[in-house]
Amino acid sequence: MFRLTKSVPASLAAIVLAVSALPALAEGDPAKGEKSFRKCAICHAVEAGAPNKAGPNLHDVVGRKTASLEGFTYSDAMKKLGDDGHIWTPEEIDHFITDPKAMVPGTKMAFAGVKKPEERADIVAYLQSLNAN
């Protein structure tokens, strides 16, 4: 149990408790993620230098500023997210692929989302494995 003391302000304690209540992104399996990604590959390429499809190429997406890939026409909603400084972290990718339209109302992405947390973690791990860094 967390105890408040004079050295820990109540506001800091509230933040610590709130953050500790958030679910952590599960450790994913890139090999399983590659298989699960097949449903995404209809609209997204992942090979370095591959042309965009209906969706942007997702090679090196982890850590990329949202709506910043040259040569892809993003929705206004996605461009606004990028203009606001949004970055595709593993957690943000997980959030987005859970329910794209809920996270970014106005997105062109017609995909309903991936409901299973383990499958999302595998897809995120696969995307991370494609980063050059």
Side-chain angles (χ1 to χ4, degrees):
M1 181 73 185
F2 189 82
R3 269 178 104 195
L4 290 178
T5 66
K6 289 183 180 181
S7 63
V8 180
S11 59
L12 178 59
I15 292 169
V16 169
L17 289 173
V19 170
S20 66
L22 294 174
L25 182 62
E27 192 73 25
D29 179 336
K32 288 181 182 177
E34 183 175 12
K35 289 178 184 162
S36 292
F37 189 83
R38 289 180 186 153
K39 64 183 100 180
C40 311
I42 295 166
C43 296
H44 295 279
V46 292
E47 298 80 19
N52 296 312
K53 295 182 176 183
N57 184 323
L58 298 180
H59 183 81
D60 271 339
V61 70
V62 180
R64 181 192 302 165
K65 181 180 174 189
T66 303
S68 65
L69 186 66
E70 293 293 321
F72 186 77
T73 305
Y74 293 94
S75 66
D76 289 340
M78 202 60 81
K79 285 190 255 185
K80 177 165 179 3
L81 198 61
D83 290 344
D84 290 345
H86 184 265
I87 302 293
W88 287 118
T89 64
E91 295 79 14
E92 288 297 287
I93 293 169
D94 177 66
H95 183 208
F96 184 68
I97 65 176
T98 299
D99 187 349
K101 291 192 181 296
M103 180 177 164
V104 186
T107 182
K108 294 190 294 186
M109 189 158 150
F111 186 67
V114 178
K115 301 307 174 206
K116 295 179 182 174
E118 301 83 16
E119 185 177 9
R120 290 194 314 270
D122 292 340
I123 292 170
V124 170
Y126 172 61
L127 291 173
Q128 286 180 292
S129 77
L130 301 173
N131 271 37
N133 299 335

